[in-house]
Amino acid sequence: MTVDSPEAMQGLGRTLAGLLRPGDLVLLTGELGAGKTTLTRGLGEGLGVRGAVTSPTFVIARVHPSLSGGPALVHVDAYRLGGGLDEMEDLDLDVSLPESVVVVEWGDGKVEELSDDRLHVVIARAVGHEEVLDDVREVSVRGIGGRWAAPGALAAL
């Protein structure tokens, strides 16, 4: 799908939040500045969590508890982590996952082993005249595993 502004990216996050439940793992892929944290900010709004959702680049992970009895949002930035799941073990994501929604930026090749069921969101800048398309992104959402195999599982997007 095409997303034409940061506000629309946040709106996509709010919509996506409506599909998520405790135990869901979401991997976000995209270059620096693509909109991964903006999408996650919308997820946080949609999940009704506490705290401003900002990039966890330097702290690696932030936990945003629910304000409404729903799942917490665990927001991880694996950009500076070179290893795979072994390096991520200190974050105890496997412990957090069953009762939380875990979103991992730059998680490709690092956290897939956490769950057989996950969403993979790829955000790419649209190609074209930069002045016109600077905020335009192409977003693809792919469900992996039985949780997302049902026809229409992602139809709300």
Side-chain angles (χ1 to χ4, degrees), residues 21 24 115-119 143-154:
R21 62 184 188 213
D24 282 339
S115 178
D116 291 335
D117 301 312
R118 60 192 173 275
L119 283 181
I144 298 168
R147 157 95 166 91
W148 302 104
L154 297 172

Side-chain angles (χ1 to χ4, degrees), residues 3 5-6 9-10 12-14 16 26-44 53-57 73 75-80 103-108 120-125 137-140:
V3 177
S5 69
M9 185 68 76
Q10 246 178 283
L12 176 59
R14 284 190 298 275
L16 183 58
V26 180
L27 302 181
L28 301 181
T29 300
E31 64 188 45
L32 287 170
K36 297 177 298 295
T37 299
T38 302
L39 179 76
T40 306
R41 190 170 298 121
L43 282 170
V53 175
T54 59
S55 178
T57 298
L73 171 64
H75 184 198
V76 179
D77 187 329
Y79 181 74
R80 298 180 341 156
V103 176
V104 183
E105 297 185 25
W106 306 97
D108 286 352
H120 190 184
V121 180
V122 178
I123 304 170
R125 293 180 190 264
R137 305 290 189 264
E138 296 297 328
V139 180
S140 66

